[in-house]
Amino acid sequence: MQVDPDKYKSIGKGFSLTLKEDGARGLAKGWAPTFIGYSMQGLCKFGFYEMFKIFYSDMLGEENTYLWRTSLYLAASASAEFFADIALAPMEACKVRIQTCPGYANNLRQCAPKMFAEEGVWAFYKGVVPLWMRQIPYTMMKFACFERTVELLYKHVVPKPRADCTKAEQLIVTFTAGYIAGVFCAIVSHPADSVVSVLNKESGSTAVQVLKKLGPKGVWKGLVARIIMIGTLTALQWFIYDSVKVYFRLPRPPPPEMPESLKKKLGLTE
């Protein structure tokens, strides 16, 4: 829908045309670079986020960490995503080329060597700047919105403290907060996603040229499909991530609470 809106006019049309032309296999085109690329990206994104959160928290101190927690989530997630996208970019370029250029290559084994032979290393990283434009706002929204939504759900929706909830109840809260965060992620990052898709399809274009070509309406093509995909994806990512932590008994800090020293300063303690 992003790279050929005249042909794929809606989600239903997209599914039916893909099935008609390529069969069920057409829907799985580019699965290998997606699997490898997003595994590498996920490793860096979640791993570096935890590291940067601790790093920035130590810089700020306990009281400022609480007061500026949203800014902390935003800064830690942006820092993590910067490195995660460098890991993702080569596989993303291969995925888009396989999906949007019929006959170019059938799989990753054919695509990567061919791209390297034709355009060199640059072929894999020419989309990294638009990828940052798409993924950094996306990840900032994903982590900050998730963290604050979890906080609000336990405060206003869940009728008991997190410590009193069962592990299953806690994971339901995680899934719900993940889906809400995913919807906002899709909206924030969609224009840049459209640019990345077209850029990786067309070998000679720049991000500015693609943006001018798409126009204000063109960058929002395929938004509903992406909201459904990203909402579900983000919810499942958080759910799996939290489930793994539960299974391996890794630390799962509760939603932040105001430090006692800050309560005293603000006169909130007797």
Side-chain angles (χ1 to χ4, degrees):
M1 286 167 76
Q2 287 172 341
V3 300
D4 198 350
D6 296 327
K7 184 178 178 182
Y8 304 99
K9 295 183 188 296
S10 66
I11 299 172
K13 189 90 172 161
F15 268 99
S16 62
L17 271 172
T18 304
L19 287 166
K20 191 178 172 184
E21 291 176 357
D22 301 315
R25 289 185 68 180
L27 297 172
K29 255 189 182 175
W31 73 268
T34 301
F35 181 82
I36 297 164
Y38 282 90
S39 295
M40 290 161 66
Q41 190 210 29
L43 174 75
C44 296
K45 185 193 305 233
F46 284 90
F48 283 132
Y49 174 70
E50 299 283 6
M51 288 170 60
F52 279 115
K53 205 161 79 162
I54 294 165
F55 177 71
Y56 293 142
S57 179
D58 290 344
M59 283 172 64
L60 289 169
E62 189 184 27
E63 290 179 8
N64 285 330
T65 292
Y66 178 80
L67 291 170
W68 295 91
R69 60 193 182 280
T70 303
S71 300
L72 173 73
Y73 303 146
L74 292 168
S77 55
S79 304
E81 190 58 44
F82 177 84
F83 294 103
D85 287 344
I86 294 169
L88 170 65
M91 292 295 114
E92 180 75 359
C94 290
K95 180 198 83 169
V96 173
R97 195 67 67 93
I98 291 166
Q99 289 176 342
T100 61
C101 299
Y104 184 83
N106 292 320
N107 53 47
L108 181 60
R109 291 193 308 276
Q110 291 175 3
C111 186
K114 192 173 180 181
M115 284 175 70
F116 182 73
E118 289 174 358
E119 300 173 59
V121 177
W122 176 240
F124 302 107
Y125 286 100
K126 69 174 184 178
V128 77
V129 174
L131 203 55
W132 281 328
M133 286 163 55
R134 178 187 87 185
Q135 289 296 130
I136 289 176
Y138 164 88
T139 302
M140 289 168 79
M141 182 63 78
K142 174 179 179 168
F143 283 88
C145 186
F146 172 79
E147 299 268 20
R148 292 311 298 256
T149 304
V150 166
E151 200 178 318
L152 290 169
L153 286 173
Y154 279 115
K155 197 173 181 180
H156 300 293
V157 179
V158 181
K160 53 187 175 182
R162 195 187 89 150
D164 298 338
C165 294
T166 64
K167 292 286 189 286
E169 287 168 341
Q170 290 177 20
L171 290 172
I172 289 166
V173 172
T174 298
F175 186 85
T176 307
Y179 211 104
I180 292 166
V183 172
F184 287 104
C185 289
I187 295 165
V188 163
S189 62
H190 192 72
D193 182 62
S194 298
V195 173
V196 170
S197 294
V198 176
L199 199 64
N200 281 322
K201 184 196 176 191
E202 298 175 0
S203 52
S205 302
T206 66
V208 177
Q209 287 170 342
V210 171
L211 208 51
K212 283 179 182 174
K213 183 180 163 186
L214 289 171
K217 283 182 80 175
V219 293
W220 294 105
K221 280 262 167 43
L223 178 62
V224 176
R226 198 152 180 274
I227 284 175
I228 295 165
M229 183 188 85
I230 298 295
T232 310
L233 181 77
T234 306
L236 285 170
Q237 278 182 335
W238 278 115
F239 183 81
I240 294 164
Y241 183 61
D242 218 22
S243 299
V244 170
K245 280 185 160 186
V246 168
Y247 183 78
F248 289 109
R249 296 178 183 174
L250 295 167
R252 294 169 65 245
E257 290 184 8
M258 189 180 289
E260 288 300 319
S261 57
L262 193 59
K263 285 181 183 175
K264 284 175 186 172
K265 281 183 185 176
L266 299 172
L268 299 173
T269 54
E270 294 178 4

